[in-house]
Amino acid sequence: ILQNHQTITDEYLEKYCKKTLPQSVYAFFSQGSYDENTLRDSIQAYQRYKLVPSGLPTQTCDLRTRIEFPKRGISLDLELPFGFSPVGLMGAGHKDAELATTKAAENFGACAILSSHSSKSIEEIQQAAPGCIKMLQLYVYLSREVSEALVQRAERAGFKAIVVTIDGQVRGIRYSTMRTPLGNEYQSGNFGSELLASVGLDVDKRRQGIGYEIKDPSLTWDDIKWLRSITDLPIILKGVLRADDAIKALDYDVDGIMVSTHGGRQLDGTPAPIDALPEIVDAVKGRLVIFVDGGVRSGDDVLKSIAVGADVVFFGRPMLWGLVWKGQAGVETVLQTYKDGLSTAMMRNGLSRLSNITRANVQRCNASNTISSPRL
């Protein structure tokens, strides 16, 4: 792995995927909304944060971390402080889809958040990787029974939390998909014909079982209260970019938030997650678990995110590119590369454990100092 560290990068893997995947599939996975400013800036933003070494290097470091949900009496021990963001319909990229990614996460002791619109079902994923710490990403649907059924299935399968997407009820405008739409042959493993028929959706006209016609566009805080009433699992709100929303989440018995822009796929022109993170961290003062995803492309980026205040860092596209490249082995290569990168960055910064990382380890530079990185 270390010998290939300079070549097995996200850029290398994405170029491979762009060359080998059908155009419609690559567009579906890689696209951002409108002019893709948020998509680009989420990656480039990490270049604005510079690592500031302190003291002498150390020869060892401990990457283990624990996620605490005290109100639920749940503690999750992870071998790595980073994991996988939810990505829908991964089967379009590789036949093993989430079976491969969760097995890889299990082998590395990493957390995986699975999309409700995964290519494999909740039950198949649990059977493939029973030891992986898994969370279910959830939308609130027009039929609350659909959302509740997914939550109940996740509970029975031993998933550890519900991650509610709050910025995905209305489809973002994505020009790439408009030009080359994804075909109906790619379908979600969790949405069978019986479930779709129960909400009055014509199965023959569905869009991969993930049509926005079954999501409730009028999501409100009352829906979060309803979700809290039907499950004892920790609830994490995904898509928070403002401190006042993070504080308000405390009033609804939420356990955590995920600072995220939905991979730059929903609303263009928003702040990069790493830029939105500090204000949110300062506002919640440790009262919520804080996840972040969006733009993370290296172990250095993981260190910067933790220094700014994230408890666990997540990424989606690098995992996906590894999956397309070599299945489970490709995903494990990505995990190992990130692990090596984070370990090296910590040791060079004199950090022997994650709890030693503080904001003093990073410095934010002006935008004028940012090195531009062209889109592939």
Side-chain angles (χ1 to χ4, degrees), residues 315-367:
F315 51 84
R317 288 186 178 98
M319 165 199 65
L320 181 63
W321 305 146
L323 174 70
V324 174
W325 177 51
K326 284 189 177 181
Q328 181 181 338
V331 178
E332 291 185 353
T333 297
V334 171
L335 283 168
Q336 186 67 53
T337 302
Y338 275 55
K339 181 179 179 179
D340 292 340
L342 175 59
S343 298
T344 301
M346 286 180 62
M347 289 187 289
R348 291 294 300 271
N349 280 272
L351 301 165
S352 60
R353 57 179 57 89
L354 297 172
S355 59
N356 296 146
I357 302 173
T358 71
R359 286 192 188 175
N361 294 114
V362 293
Q363 183 180 52
R364 189 183 189 282
C365 297
N366 295 328

Side-chain angles (χ1 to χ4, degrees), residues 182 271 285 342:
L182 194 64
K285 302 182 187 300
L342 175 59

Side-chain angles (χ1 to χ4, degrees), residues 60-240:
T60 61
C61 67
D62 186 352
L63 302 183
R64 293 175 298 176
T65 191
R66 173 174 288 182
I67 308 174
E68 299 273 8
F69 297 112
K71 289 187 288 186
R72 313 300 153 209
I74 294 175
S75 296
L76 304 177
D77 291 315
L78 301 171
E79 295 297 315
L80 296 173
F82 55 84
F84 296 151
S85 300
V87 176
L89 300 183
M90 284 197 282
H94 191 280
K95 61 181 178 60
D96 293 337
E98 297 82 11
L99 306 186
T101 60
T102 50
K103 285 179 182 177
E106 181 180 48
N107 289 342
F108 275 76
C111 178
I113 304 174
L114 282 305
S115 172
S116 287
H117 307 306
S118 57
S119 295
K120 305 297 182 180
S121 70
I122 290 170
E123 293 75 16
E124 289 175 300
I125 293 167
Q126 173 61 14
Q127 185 175 9
C132 175
I133 293 178
K134 298 176 289 295
M135 302 180 181
L136 177 69
Q137 176 272 333
L138 181 76
Y139 292 103
V140 176
Y141 297 98
L142 287 166
S143 170
R144 297 297 185 269
E145 289 80 5
V146 172
S147 298
E148 186 169 2
L150 288 170
V151 170
Q152 291 172 347
R153 288 169 63 188
E155 289 177 337
R156 289 194 297 269
F159 282 48
K160 303 302 183 183
I162 304 298
V163 180
V164 188
T165 295
I166 62 172
D167 64 352
Q169 301 300 107
V170 178
R171 186 192 300 275
I173 295 177
R174 305 166 193 165
Y175 295 130
S176 296
T177 295
M178 291 178 180
R179 291 189 292 267
T180 56
L182 194 64
N184 286 328
E185 67 269 25
Y186 305 113
Q187 298 181 5
S188 167
N190 288 320
F191 289 80
S193 58
E194 183 177 338
L195 183 149
L196 293 171
S198 72
V199 296
L201 184 64
D202 187 333
V203 177
D204 293 331
K205 295 180 180 179
R206 70 184 182 185
R207 297 180 61 82
Q208 299 88 45
I210 61 171
Y212 279 77
E213 55 268 281
I214 67 171
K215 296 176 185 176
D216 190 344
S218 60
L219 183 69
T220 70
W221 286 101
D222 285 340
D223 294 306
I224 306 304
K225 183 185 296 184
W226 165 79
L227 183 61
R228 177 77 283 161
S229 73
I230 67 167
T231 183
D232 292 327
L233 288 178
I235 294 174
I236 297 159
L237 301 188
K238 179 178 182 290
V240 175

